[in-house]
Amino acid sequence: MTGNSSVHSKGACRVCGGTVEEFLDLGSQPISQAFLEPRATEKEFTFPLTIGRCASCMMVQLLHDVPRHLMFHREYPFHSSSSQAMQAYFADVARTLLRTELTDDDPFIVEIGCNDGIMLGTIKDAGVRHLGFEPSGGVADEARAAGVRVRGDFFEEGTAKEVCAAEGTADVIYSANTLCHIPYLDSVMRGVDALLGPNGVFVFEDPYLGDVVTKTSFDQIYDEHFYLWSAESVRATAARFGFELVDVLRLSAHGGEVRFTLARAGTRTPAPAVAELLAEEQQRGLSELATLRRFAANVNGIRDDLVRVLTDLRAQGRRVVGYGATAKSATVLNYCGIGPELVEFVCDTTLEKHGKLTPGQHIPIRPPAAFADPYPDYALLFAWNHAEEIMAKEPAFTEAGGRWLLYVPDVHVV
Ligand code: SAH
Ligand code: TMP
Ligand code: ZN
């Protein structure tokens, strides 16, 4: 069954119009967070999940995009605050911005994709003027209930200009795990240009291509993750819109990210870290097709290993349960063809996922209590980016003889 994904002049870079050369085909995929009711009869939307690299600006991007209203809507099930580690992390991000950038009289910060208010809550507590853009109504309401100011729209040129007209320019525009979700990056950059004050900064953090390639973390590729940034591609994009990449910071969050800081060209001296990361990318040939094709070959190897391990475990009569019904897991399950015959169910803390099925492969999702009732032999950790937090709260699983099964950076048991 084929979905009606929109193809933007196939093969043309969404940033510069250059030619995008495909290096990995992850097959036909459903919407990564479209969890199904058990007896749902309507056909699932699917689209071809293929990724390539622009020969001109080096931007790594999907070749097909899913209409945004099919992903981000009132029932969008990802709640940023479901991880306590991420709550602490974003409180720290907010404190850093308050200390370093929001120091003038009456500063103003805008967040793109504020979700349930995980970062802006701390800004609100400090009494600083703020506005979050959040089109997914359910999580936006949670942010509002926490006292955060939210505009329930997609950030783009038009909505950004409206905010500027009504509230003036922003000192900081911040975005975490959202900018890479936005194929219409040109509109967003024009919006940032309109809304950001003359000496302001645009700070965003997302999964880093360098980490995805090093760890073969191909599950970072799914409908919502349209771009995988490198310092090289971000620098080129910034320049097209009159901005300059002035800082980069590597982060361990979500399996390896970079926090990019852009400023209007010429307003800030770039930190040495920018040239260092650019040099490192050059040296390892990060954006070269040969590197990306080697990555693709490694992805195939992980698929073969994982399917073999799961098939062997089933043949031995072992029980395997998934841990974390993540968006990332949709890519793994559907690319590898892993269904309920190999993974009995997936447990997850998110209330609205309970009783539903994973998209495409239809594995049941159960509350965390099901995990221990009784413990399986193996837990396939789909939320591997939260491994520390999850393993710390499940000590009884390994004490009972259970083992964690991971597939990043390769298939292994801990
Ligand atoms: N910043 C949070 C949320 C990331 S999830 C965190 O790091 O945990 C991505 C969020 O971006 C979703 O809540 C989605 O609704 C929102 N989003 C998607 N497109 C957007 C756009 N154009 N403008 C603002 N938010 C957007
Ligand atoms: P993420 O990897 O995109 O952040 O998604 C994490 C998913 O894992 C989310 O659905 C919540 C779930 N989860 C648990 O079930 N238990 C946990 O302890 C944590 C941290 C997350
Ligand atoms: Zn390009």
Side-chain angles (χ1 to χ4, degrees), residues 75-115:
E75 277 77 45
Y76 182 67
F78 176 72
H79 300 254
S80 299
S81 297
S82 60
S83 158
Q84 287 186 4
M86 293 313 293
Q87 286 181 33
Y89 173 86
F90 281 116
D92 195 52
V93 169
R95 285 192 292 267
T96 301
L97 290 172
L98 288 166
R99 194 177 63 244
T100 57
E101 297 290 341
L102 299 168
T103 52
D104 286 354
D105 287 351
D106 191 27
F108 180 37
I109 175 169
V110 171
E111 184 176 10
I112 305 175
C114 70
N115 199 274

Side-chain angles (χ1 to χ4, degrees), residues 39-343:
R39 277 163 296 280
T41 50
E42 76 265 31
K43 275 191 169 181
E44 287 178 89
F45 176 98
T46 59
F47 72 104
L49 183 61
T50 48
I51 188 163
R53 184 222 62 180
C54 173
S56 305
C57 73
M58 300 296 153
M59 184 66 82
V60 170
Q61 58 198 280
L62 301 190
L63 279 91
H64 304 258
D65 62 305
V66 171
R68 63 189 188 180
H69 67 275
L70 296 181
M71 297 183 284
F72 310 117
H73 45 67
R74 179 148 283 282
E75 277 77 45
Y76 182 67
F78 176 72
H79 300 254
S80 299
S81 297
S82 60
S83 158
Q84 287 186 4
M86 293 313 293
Q87 286 181 33
Y89 173 86
F90 281 116
D92 195 52
V93 169
R95 285 192 292 267
T96 301
L97 290 172
L98 288 166
R99 194 177 63 244
T100 57
E101 297 290 341
L102 299 168
T103 52
D104 286 354
D105 287 351
D106 191 27
F108 180 37
I109 175 169
V110 171
E111 184 176 10
I112 305 175
C114 70
N115 199 274
D116 57 13
I118 191 168
M119 195 286 286
L120 285 180
T122 302
I123 301 284
K124 177 221 61 169
D125 290 344
V128 166
R129 202 151 58 88
H130 64 273
L131 181 68
F133 273 83
E134 181 45 70
S136 295
V139 290
D141 281 347
E142 287 173 26
R144 291 187 187 104
V148 169
R149 274 190 72 226
V150 182
R151 180 173 168 135
D153 287 313
F154 290 95
F155 183 99
E156 56 196 330
E157 185 176 8
T159 50
K161 283 182 170 164
E162 283 173 23
V163 168
C164 187
E167 310 192 28
T169 57
D171 300 282
V172 175
I173 300 179
Y174 174 78
S175 190
N177 307 299
T178 301
L179 198 69
C180 71
H181 293 48
I182 309 183
Y184 43 101
L185 191 57
D186 50 343
S187 173
V188 168
M189 290 306 297
R190 287 194 299 271
V192 169
D193 189 22
L195 181 56
L196 194 68
N199 298 309
V201 281
F202 177 31
V203 181
F204 61 94
E205 52 191 80
D206 284 303
Y208 174 50
L209 177 66
D211 286 300
V212 171
V213 169
T214 303
K215 297 175 190 167
T216 320
S217 44
F218 67 101
D219 56 347
Q220 292 288 10
I221 304 166
Y222 53 94
D223 53 356
E224 294 177 25
H225 285 182
F226 190 84
Y227 295 108
L228 281 178
W229 317 122
S230 61
E232 185 179 13
S233 64
V234 168
R235 185 176 64 155
T237 302
R240 290 182 73 81
F241 294 94
F243 289 88
E244 191 173 2
L245 177 60
V246 296
D247 206 358
V248 290
L249 179 66
R250 295 193 68 166
L251 307 164
S252 59
H254 289 307
E257 303 199 312
V258 168
R259 179 178 301 156
F260 297 98
T261 302
L262 309 192
R264 294 189 186 280
T267 60
R268 297 203 186 196
T269 308
V274 175
E276 284 162 23
L277 191 58
L278 285 165
E280 185 186 315
E281 290 178 359
Q282 283 297 322
Q283 202 250 329
R284 65 183 285 200
L286 178 61
S287 301
E288 282 168 24
L289 271 187
T291 305
L292 299 170
R293 292 200 168 119
R294 245 187 338 265
F295 160 75
N298 292 340
V299 172
N300 288 330
I302 289 183
R303 176 191 56 190
D304 296 347
D305 289 351
L306 184 58
V307 170
R308 191 178 52 246
V309 166
L310 291 174
T311 307
D312 287 352
L313 289 173
R314 182 190 52 183
Q316 295 160 20
R318 308 292 176 139
R319 289 181 60 226
V320 180
V321 157
Y323 204 110
T326 59
K328 293 184 289 295
S329 69
T331 296
V332 178
L333 294 170
N334 291 290
Y335 176 60
C336 301
I338 297 167
E341 67 291 345
L342 294 179
V343 173

Side-chain angles (χ1 to χ4, degrees), residues 344-349 353-356 364-371:
E344 205 176 297
F345 63 88
V346 183
C347 66
D348 193 287
T349 49
K353 295 181 188 173
H354 299 162
K356 296 209 172 139
I365 304 170
R366 306 228 170 107
F371 185 52

